[in-house]
């Protein structure tokens, strides 16, 4: 027999965010964001980002960013558990800790022609107070290298 359950209010995923974007000039921008999470990943996040960009010509654009994020999980929840926590139930209390993160990244964008573009770059991040790999950190490595080829219709 199959029983379907309707999600309760605390199981739904709902978040509210507020943003502040300030462009100092065409090359420099500051961003702040405050997000309140609901449901299984309850908590709040505050982020500050500084971005620098430089266009060399119409086809080539270089940008870099520095970001600091703070996450405060809400009440203990299953989404914040990890494999170590499941092995040791007392580690469940780790979900109440505040987690901090610093990110640094750079990317290069090349508009090959009006339809094709290539973006490539690197992002690095370091997490504090997160030795057990919480839900904030779903990457296996702190460094991400990427390339994206895109076509615009």
């Amino acid at each position: 027999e199959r029983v379907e359950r309707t999600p309760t209010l605390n199981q739904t995923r709902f978040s509210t965010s507020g943003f502040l974007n300030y462009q100092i000039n065409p090359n420099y921008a500051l961003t702040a964001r405050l997000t309140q999470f609901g449901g299984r990943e309850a908590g709040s996040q505050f982020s500050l980002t500084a971005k620098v960009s430089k266009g060399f010509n119409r086809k080539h654009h270089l940008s870099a960013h520095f970001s600091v994020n703070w996450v405060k999980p809400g009440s203990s929840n299953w989404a914040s558990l990890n494999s170590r926590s499941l092995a040791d139930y007392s580690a469940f209390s780790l979900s109440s800790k505040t987690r901090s993160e610093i990110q640094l990244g750079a990317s290069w964008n090349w508009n090959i022609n009006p339809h094709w573009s290539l973006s490539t770059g690197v992002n690095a991040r370091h997490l504090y107070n997160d030795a057990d790999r919480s839900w904030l950190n779903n990457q296996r490595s702190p460094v991400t290298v990427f390339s994206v080829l895109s076509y615009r219709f």
Side-chain angles (χ1 to χ4, degrees), residues 64-65 103-107 121-125 139 141-146:
H65 75 274
Q103 285 187 10
L104 183 62
S107 65
V122 62
N123 288 317
R125 66 191 237 165
Q139 291 181 211
S141 169
V143 177
T144 303
V145 178
F146 63 91

Side-chain angles (χ1 to χ4, degrees), residues 46-83:
F46 181 68
S47 301
L48 289 173
T49 303
K51 186 175 180 180
V52 176
S53 59
K54 173 71 174 157
F56 294 103
N57 58 39
R58 288 181 49 211
K59 293 187 174 206
H60 299 278
H61 185 85
L62 185 64
S63 63
H65 75 274
F66 175 77
S67 176
V68 180
N69 303 302
W70 294 274
V71 172
K72 176 68 175 168
S75 59
S76 297
N77 55 66
W78 291 107
S80 63
L81 289 175
N82 53 53
S83 59

